[in-house]
Amino acid sequence: MSKYEYVPEPALVKGNHDFASLTRLVTDVNLRPTPKGWYLAMIGANSLLLVLLVAIGYLFWEGTGIWGLNNPVGWGWAIINFVWWVGIGHAGTLISAILFLFRQDWRTAINRFAEAMTIFAVMCALIFPGIHVGRIWVAYWMFPLPNQMDIWPNFNSPLLWDVFAVGTYFTVSFLFWYVGLVPDLATIRDRATDKFRKWTYGIFALGWTGSNRHWWNYEKSYMILAGLATPLVLSVHTIVSFDFAVSIIPGWHTTIFPPYFVAGAIFSGFAMVLTLMIVARKIYGMKDIMTDDHMEKMNIIILVTGSMVGFAYMMEFFIAWYSGVEYEKAIFLLRATGPYAWAYWTMMICNVVSPQFFWSKKLRRNVYFTFFISIVVNIGMWFERFVITVSSLATDYLPSSWDYYSPTIWDALTYIGTFGLFFTFFLLFLRFLPMVAVAEIKAVLPQADPHNYDDNDEYQAPEVEVPESQARFY
Amino acid sequence: MAQIFPKWTNQVPRKILIGIIVLLNVVVFGIWYFFSPEYTDVGYAPEQPVPYSHKLHVDQLGLDCQYCHTDVFESKQANIPATQTCMNCHNIIQTESENLALVRESWETGEAIEWIRVHNLPDYAYFNHSAHVNVGVGCESCHGRIDKMEVVYQEEPLSMGWCLDCHREPEKYVRPVEEVTTMGYQVENQLELGKELVDKNNIHAPTYCQGCHY
Amino acid sequence: MSTNNDHTDSLHGILAEFKNPKQLLDVASKMSKSGYHKFDTYSPFPIHGIDKAMNLKKSKLGWIVLICGLIGFTGAVAMMYYMLVIDYPMNIGGKPFFNAPAWVPVTFELTVLFSAFGAVIGMFVLNGLPKHHNPLFNITRFKKATDDGFFACIEAEDDMFDTDKVKKLFEDAGATHIEEVYE
Amino acid sequence: MKDLEPTDQQMSEVKKNTYWKSLNELAQNKEYQKFTEREFPENASELTDGVSRRGFLRVMGASIALAGLAACRRPVQKILPYSNQPEDVVAGNPLYYATSMPFQGNLIGLVAENHEGRPTKLEGNSLHPASHGSTNIYNQAATLELYDPDRSRSPLRNGKGVSVEDFAEFASSHFSNTNQRIAFISEANSSPTYNGLKNEVLNKFNNASWVTYEPFGEDNAIEGTQIAFGQRVRTLYNFDNADVVLSLNDDFMGSNHPNGITYARQIAAKRRMNNTGDSMSRIYAVEDSYSPTGSFADHRLKLKASEIESFTYALASALSGRINGLNAFSGINNQFTDHHWISVLADELISNSGRSAISAGAEHKAEVHAAVGAINLALGNVGNTVSYLEVPHFNEQNNRQAFADVVEQMKTGNIDTVVLVGTNPVFTAPDDLGFEEALSNVSIVVNLSHYVDETARKSTWHINRAHFLETWGDGFSFNGARSVIQPQIQPLYNGLSEIEFLSTILTGNLDKGYNLVQNTFSGYYSSGFDARWRTILHDGIDTQDNFSAASVSLASSFEVTSASETESSGGIEVVIRPDPTLYDGRYANLGWLQELPDPMTKITWDNVALMSPNTAAALDVDNEDVVEINVNGKSVKIAAWIQPGHVDNSITLYTGYGREGIGRVANRYIDYTAGGVNTYPLRSTSAILYSNAEISKTGDAYEIACVQDHHSLEGRDMYRQATIDNYKENPAFATFKSVHGYDVPGMREAHELEKEAPVSLFREQEYPDNISYPEHEPQWGMAIDLNSCFGCGVCVIACQSENNIPVVGKKEVKRGREMHWIRNDRYFVGDNVDEPQAVHQPVPCMHCELAPCEEVCPVAATTHSEDGMNQMTYNRCIGTRYCANNCPYKVRRFNFFNYPKEYLTTGDDPDIIQMAMNPEVTIRFRGVMEKCTYCVQRVNRAKIEAKIETGSPKPADGTVQTACQQACPTEAITFGDLTDEDSVVSQAKSNDRNYQMLEELNTRPRTSYLAKITNPNPALALDINQE
């Protein structure tokens, strides 16, 4: 192999780690006594969760009227939050599946973490379609269950597609996550000293031994799941976008939505992973695994997807003008200049302008700046959904029915409450499950490659020659 | 290293799996049967304030349904007869019967007899008797063999699926309009005759929602 | 629960630990070339190339997933066709009862869902998991298999099994520890 | 309609015959105890679907936890059959009886729909000349008034509840003194029985005086005819014959005009365009504030109310030189003498002599009415478009003056007893009279009213008045047709009608209204009374002895007395008018009317200070800014509202709001301040219509619930109109192609493929023979003629009454959650900001054949029926609101809260308001979507009846009328079967002007519109262009 063709990766794991030290680094977190800070964080998260329960309880009691919805604007924060959380939930599966298929080994540092985030984000998202309906107690009619009324759901409805898409997405993501967890659960089982941990981790480890006959099927399964999850992850936000795109409302009825929603989902998902990763790696000392190189790579993806989203925003305007449809033209002008212009420009600044800073390598590798932008991006993506959902409904065809939507305190509490749910689960995850896929990251250590051993079976670290022309990147 | 789990635990997952399958079936069947009007509603036979026997009046005395339920061909309701109707005969016969005390009281005071409703549709289901009997849906098709009932009970589930059975294939159930009040009506060539009647009476039983719900 | 080295139990096989993935790869190749069939290697992560060394056959999982996917696909189409065309056709927005374009998303999702179930359940079934009790767990050292240990085991049930020969093979391959595993 | 044969027996044997019922009666029997358990006092009848229907969905929600358990055994329901069945009653089928509603003293003929003895819906009586089968908003809301739980429920003596027998006892002792000084203050009443009793009263009590007091009325018009013709007569227009109509600040089509229904019908008929060959009348409106009539006019001139008089004189003066009979006006010179409109109008009126009509607003000075009378006479309109009726019950003296005199007498202590019949002067009397103070000088005050209102609370005796649907009565329509008021239900609270009340004062006995009315009528017929009486009751109208037309000539003494030059003061003037939805405040407790958007401003629940954009800018106020309006030392604080098209330097205020203590709705609704401001304090005897005012901004703001936030069409094509000339040139002006210059997308391809509908990528549902719908069913469609709609809003109320639409309250309306199934969009169009044209467009569900709402419902709760309707199945709905989002017409309404519960249960009361509900329509529970159903309950009833009678489910054309269609006074709405090419709706849809809203979306709405045609005068059109 010629040294000039090979563009080597920087070492994926920093520091002088061997297999055992990695195991300890990751799994000791689960085996140590619970730190006090964790309890504090948990109290905070649980308080927010309580807010969510109260908000939902009051919603059950009073009806959807407690939200700020009105006649033209039948969907408000609930749907915005739904789309936002589902969007965030795209990062995990994307990192696990698509990067796996593209042989991006750096994914191993963050995939477990991102998948967990995905599952919890999708759980937060799933709350909303369930509770936003007027008669929650009959929401099960959306499922094709045999009944004495002899009536079935309407499979022509994008909302029903949503039920299947998000349901499938959650199930497959969960399976994917769990399959990945099994070898690591076995690791903890084998390291645990108390009976309770041995039992609980043992049950979920399913008797995993590390057999290479098992690994053989396991890898096959993992690859198939990745192959399935890749179109799935693209389909989910595509179908979520169908809720809007298949409708007839100007500003919704547009074919650009599927790619633009998927790009936006990746955009916001990576931002959320970064937000969480930057905090977690600091607290749990995982900087050797979740390195600045990872952060930079993710920032590049944020830059790319952010620009895609920005391109989509502009293309919407172009198409609105080019279509010659007066309602279409009006809605986009109104977005930028109408009653919701403040939301529109918030979105533009957060989503299109802020990622452009990542053209600078220095800023890409700046932890604090990245943290800041990752939050800005998620604010921007929330506003994107706000702009799409609300502004189109508020000013559609008949000027007579135009009306302004403003949320109530219950809209806000429900949204805030979902963070309680999210962080409660996330804290439980950090505490009880390995936050890094240990088995996978071991496999990408140079020690794992039999080729890196000499004839005496001694480890020889591979020599990496970085060509001059490439060196400046690292 | 000690084993965490004893050997028999290797059998447990399989047992759990079988258990879940069995349980699911039980749940599905349970809901399907016990939560259906077939179970909850059929056979409802409340005790009425006046122990009126349809068996006696219809089967033995041979009264036609319409003698009492006079409006059935004209109205959405097959009316419960006014006390007056009872008194037409019971002025003369059984005038001292204890069972009829309430009827006489009602007649004297003008206050209504509080019959207990047996056949009850949900309020959002709009059922019109006249629309059905005028095209040959027999009384017994929905109410069963009233002439055999000492105490009236609900014979059919009156669920939406049950309604649709007939609305989808009326030819299986319709009869000539003259036979509507006949009890125990049966013909051998029901399908053939039914098809003729469907054509003759121009029956297009609605299966769209607004046929019944509005 | 059995105690360590309880010789009243029958022999399960012989387990050997090796230093690193390279040794394990080598011994795997040795075992399969020697004609053993009931042997296995254990490592904390999948080792690149060990499938060839162990002479493993192609996994059947792909076929299982394909079948499940087809079930999902036909099930979805059949379900929707039954519900919206056969059982209760309703005029919805003036669209035909058999409204194929609108059924694509649900068909796709159910295909993926069933395939994923097939991939996961199929994998566990092929691997004989869950199996919470395993004779290998009697060996204290085997804990390392999920940490940094590399093990190989030839089972007593193998036609060619002979304690001495097996031990010899492991010793030659450079095993650091060799233990007899009892049920 | 069936006729009811009332006999003494039916009335007296209430106990035996349960057809009539009252709450007090119920209180004594055991059904009453179950009254609160069941939601209807169904003691009389078999429990109908409707009775339990309304409760169901609510119970479903409230007891969701119980559902699993309760499902095992249902709750016991009881059926209560009649003991002795009334002959007419077929349980489950509604009965229809004729009756009439008094409005401003005149009767409007109605037909009441009764379900098991409770009237639930009022329709116009097509035999009645004041109704022609249609109604106004007050007629429609009368059922709600009947069941208003806040109505007074018993007589009060000094505020303490007593029985009506106590009152009879008091009356027989107190009124035995026939020499006491009694003042009777009565509302206007045309009843011959009542006026007979009035004469008896005046005969019996030597020192009695009788005055008729109405805060608004035709007093000035009558005085005007006195001045012009020396006769106190009623002015009646016949717009059927009028080719040119000039309204001088007269909203004669509006709901507050006593003959508004007829006038609107006549005007619309005169302007109906079935094809290009038709002609139409031309309407000029001169007005200060935008009125529905003004929005219907071809030309509208903004003038301050104070300038109308000068304008009228200038017009008369201009005419005086050209026709005879107006000499009194010659030589008048004022600021309008050279106004362009004057010469144009003079030309137009003279060239249409005998075919023109001029009307003046009722509250304008008598002199204005006199001048208008003189002009109409001079133009030869009298006998053709205008007639003058001799009204027997008119008082001899000026009512307003007489009232002021009586109040003066009361102040000076010259009155011992005041009897107030149905009138509420404490609230409505001009402030300078000091009525309340005067009343405190009187020792005995006896009052008859529906509510314990402002006057009742100041009275010694308050008698609760029976509603007209509860009592016998009679009277005349505005144009003089004698009619009866036939009760539909026994008085719910044992109230007295005004004739029973007077009779009790006269005799001390509680006489039955039926006897009194029958006596009056039997006096008219010496023979054959019984048969005649039956016919009268059946028809609701007595065709004999109508008012006779007076022959009028200009009084020799007629001269213009007031100053010919009434220069306006230049300041801001305040104009006080009756509210377009609450009238003078008597309907303030009716939620339907409170929530009915004002026809022009679209404001609900409040009154505002209407002003032009210029005036608002000058005052530096915006919508919802509170201003303080000061007139002669009296001031009110009220929110400002900018009304395009309002005249500058003028503020219009509506009365009727700011009521205190009469009911939950009028005072405040749920927990939200509403109910507006009382503006009567600004009114004085000298300035009954307008007065100068000082306005200041307070800096506060007050939230106003307006149902329409955006008033411009944004250049969109929802509303299409053309002048009559353009129409004749291009009859297809309203088509999409004409409007846009290109076809609907897919239409060109459709033409190539010889298809009727646009080609799209999607396949459509097809039945055999390539038709879209099955042939065995009728296919329903609706056409709305925009050329007839003037925005009165009666369709909204009729729909609300028919379809059990809840009132949601100001807070919810403010949030944009009003529930009206049909709304009346009002846009301001035109290039000239100062002279916008206001147009009205009723929007119900379009019942699209390719309905966007249906496709997106995940549970198939909204689907299409075989008779072509977009169905909304409430019991299947889970409430995703996706359908409402995806409706381009935004006609779907969502139950965000359990509105029916809040609306139908009224605190500690038995849920009496539920009796107003239509039993054939499901009450919708919280969380379900609802919308216009094309009155499917009427459609299905007609289909079933047609099927039974003819074997085909296609009812004859005209059998099914939707509630909005039936109520509409201008017949703007047509509905029927589109498979019948001869049906009225098919004919309407074949009109050139027919267009579909948002046709390019290919939703194929079954509801379409007929474009509006205007008939401008070229002379004035030029004028506008020059400006």
Side-chain angles (χ1 to χ4, degrees), chain B residues 40 44 74-75 77 79-80 82-84 113-115 117 120 123-124 154 201-202 208-210 214, chain D residues 34 46-47 52-53 56 71 73-74 77 79 82-84 91 777 871 873 875 922 940 943 947 951:
Chain B
T40 57
Y44 179 54
E74 298 171 47
S75 167
Q77 297 170 6
N79 60 314
I80 301 295
T83 314
Q84 195 182 12
I113 302 168
E114 298 189 3
W115 299 99
R117 175 171 281 241
N120 187 22
D123 300 319
Y124 47 74
Q154 185 171 331
N201 289 329
N202 189 22
Y208 52 85
C209 310
Q210 238 170 39
Y214 44 86
Chain D
K34 281 165 227 120
E46 182 173 337
L47 193 66
S52 48
R53 168 180 292 234
F56 185 78
R73 271 295 163 235
R74 75 193 104 188
Q77 284 200 24
I79 306 177
Y82 288 98
S83 171
N84 187 359
E777 291 266 10
Q871 319 169 97
T873 317
N875 45 313
T922 311
N940 278 10
K943 277 170 73 177
K947 181 78 176 59

Side-chain angles (χ1 to χ4, degrees), chain A residues 75-87:
Chain A
W75 285 353
W77 277 36
I79 296 298
I80 297 165
N81 298 340
F82 164 71
V83 180
W84 187 74
W85 276 118
V86 169

